[in-house]
Amino acid sequence: MIRDTFDRVHNYLRISLTDRCNMRCFYCMPNEHYDFSPFSKLMQGDEIEKLAKIFVTLGVNKIRLTGGEPLIRKDAADIILRLSKLPVKLTLTTNGSRVYEYIEVFKQAHINSLNISLDTLQADKFNHITRRNDFALVRENIQLLLKENFHVKVNVVVMKEFNDDEINDFIEWTRDTPIHVRFIEFMPFNGNLWTSNKVITWKQMMERIEQKYKVHRLQDEKHDTAKKYNIEGHAGTFAFITTMSTPFCGDCNRMRLTADGKMKNCLFSNSETDLLTALRNGEDIVPLIYKSVYHKAEKLGGQFEPNFENLNPEDIANRSMITIGG
Ligand code: SAM
Ligand code: SF4
């Protein structure tokens, strides 16, 4: 068991497969020129498998693959199939653009639930956010997953006066479609143009929804980061990821491995532990994992407080989201 000083058991590992992406979401990638890591600096397939196995011996029972865009990595299918042999619940977060190529791989790997990012239901806004033209493709891939009986969670980063006018359009989508929409409070990362006045909190989102619908609270699962709800008679459900206004750190069980093999004990931690170099040098990485989690801060990487209104993003030392793995 990997336990921190606040007695939180850590059994969930998120592995970033790459810091590259075929989209350019402005809230995720720095605006300025950005150099992707060369392939040799990234964890190779066998190294990912070795590291994952070590985490599993320490009690990890859930692994999420993320990125960058995990499915653009050429050996993504091989990595997914290798990890599917481990005794873990395997899942992934994707921008949805390549999903159609992987349906059989997901089935073979017993992946039955995926998170797909889609921040708008309007094609022109999608192009503006992602700087790519793949709106129809992503929508088609979501339909394909539903047709193939996958559970689809749609991640929506909500930004004030940008896409907050679409909250109820997403709720309307749940009327006949069995999707689970997750509204995410906009978070600050290196170079992502975050300002506190662009955050719309879950309570503000809920007010908009309650003006139009009768909302029911659903039971959250243990360690769930989201507060779950549905609307009577709707096929789908929805939730809020409330990192900025109401952090859920008290129950945190998550650790992260960046694509270049650095362990982060929190999305907002400013320290990293280089597991890949240690692995390549033949060192024992178990003590490094324990040490990293031992130093985990109580909340938000020890970098800021939930009263984000006065937060200056320049004061947070972190990578950009695309290089951490969301
Ligand atoms: N490329 C994949 C995708 O877009 O789903 C996986 C990686 S992406 C970094 C993982 C998740 O992080 C996505 O759902 C994305 O919307 C979310 N994300 C990125 N930047 C964010 C931010 N500044 N605030 C909140 N969520 C963010
Ligand atoms: Fe790429 Fe996902 Fe980041 Fe968008 S959110 S740039 S799709 S990694």
Side-chain angles (χ1 to χ4, degrees):
M1 288 273 183
I2 311 171
R3 218 178 264 274
D4 72 359
T5 56
F6 302 94
D7 213 27
R8 296 175 292 200
V9 172
H10 285 64
N11 54 8
Y12 179 11
L13 179 66
R14 302 167 77 108
I15 303 177
S16 170
L17 295 191
T18 176
D19 60 352
R20 286 170 197 256
C21 190
N22 53 349
M23 295 192 191
R24 296 284 181 274
C25 305
F26 64 75
Y27 55 71
C28 176
M29 290 190 73
N31 207 14
E32 66 268 18
H33 173 77
Y34 172 67
D35 288 319
F36 295 109
S37 303
F39 191 66
S40 61
K41 289 254 168 76
L42 301 186
M43 296 182 288
Q44 305 298 300
D46 60 327
E47 292 169 333
I48 292 173
E49 187 182 13
K50 276 185 201 155
L51 288 167
K53 278 184 174 164
I54 293 168
F55 275 95
V56 168
T57 63
L58 301 178
V60 163
N61 56 21
K62 179 172 177 185
I63 293 181
R64 174 175 301 278
L65 302 179
T66 179
E69 174 46 41
L71 299 182
I72 63 166
R73 190 165 156 155
K74 287 199 173 59
D75 56 353
D78 176 55
I79 294 169
I80 291 169
L81 292 171
R82 279 172 189 249
L83 296 185
S84 72
K85 308 257 167 23
L86 302 180
V88 294
K89 183 175 178 337
L90 184 64
T91 183
L92 87 164
T93 303
T94 166
N95 63 28
S97 59
R98 294 279 179 91
V99 155
Y100 65 96
E101 296 173 32
Y102 286 88
I103 296 290
E104 289 312 314
V105 174
F106 296 154
K107 286 183 184 171
Q108 269 186 52
H110 304 291
I111 292 177
N112 45 31
S113 172
L114 292 97
N115 288 17
I116 311 267
S117 301
L118 182 66
D119 308 302
T120 174
L121 298 173
Q122 299 170 15
D124 53 347
K125 214 185 273 184
F126 179 94
N127 298 352
H128 178 73
I129 296 173
T130 63
R131 294 172 239 175
R132 293 294 182 270
N133 196 9
D134 288 331
F135 178 71
L137 182 61
V138 173
R139 290 293 303 256
E140 279 163 22
N141 277 331
I142 291 175
Q143 290 311 322
L144 176 64
L145 284 169
L146 292 171
K147 192 172 127 253
E148 297 285 347
N149 291 322
F150 289 91
H151 184 229
V152 178
K153 300 182 183 179
V154 178
N155 283 356
V156 185
V157 179
V158 185
M159 291 159 282
K160 205 175 260 177
E161 288 171 19
F162 187 75
N163 59 352
D164 57 335
D165 58 331
E166 292 191 60
I167 292 170
N168 282 336
D169 296 343
F170 278 98
I171 296 291
E172 204 47 40
W173 194 13
T174 68
R175 184 183 291 278
D176 299 317
T177 313
I179 43 163
H180 178 63
V181 175
R182 300 171 4 126
F183 297 110
I184 305 176
E185 291 177 353
F186 183 29
M187 297 183 255
F189 293 98
N190 204 354
N192 79 344
L193 306 177
W194 183 94
T195 53
S196 62
N197 62 1
K198 289 184 194 153
V199 176
I200 164 153
T201 65
W202 78 272
K203 284 190 179 150
Q204 293 167 326
M205 296 186 221
M206 186 60 121
E207 274 169 26
R208 310 255 182 110
I209 298 169
E210 283 179 325
Q211 278 169 13
K212 190 163 170 200
Y213 300 96
K214 192 162 174 2
V215 172
H216 296 282
R217 181 81 162 97
L218 299 175
Q219 182 73 43
D220 297 326
E221 281 152 40
K222 194 163 165 44
H223 299 301
D224 226 339
T225 51
K227 301 179 196 334
K228 267 195 210 155
Y229 298 86
N230 78 345
I231 309 289
E232 202 172 290
H234 281 209
T237 53
F238 66 98
F240 303 101
I241 313 279
T242 63
T243 315
M244 299 309 295
S245 67
T246 321
F248 31 81
C249 307
D251 191 30
C252 185
N253 63 343
R254 290 173 294 282
M255 303 168 283
R256 294 181 144 80
L257 259 182
T258 63
D260 57 353
K262 310 282 192 318
M263 178 175 169
K264 279 176 78 76
N265 59 25
C266 169
L267 185 55
F268 295 109
S269 67
N270 58 7
S271 66
E272 302 178 342
T273 303
D274 187 353
L275 298 190
L276 180 58
T277 304
L279 184 81
R280 287 181 179 175
N281 290 340
E283 292 166 32
D284 182 5
I285 67 157
V286 172
L288 301 178
I289 296 172
Y290 279 128
K291 194 171 167 198
S292 168
V293 171
Y294 180 82
H295 288 291
K296 178 161 174 154
E298 186 178 7
K299 57 176 188 277
L300 300 169
Q303 297 221 61
F304 60 99
E305 293 290 322
N307 55 343
F308 64 88
E309 286 79 3
N310 301 321
L311 179 64
N312 177 0
E314 304 297 319
D315 293 340
I316 302 178
N318 204 354
R319 296 173 174 231
S320 56
M321 182 62 131
I322 196 166
T323 61
I324 300 172

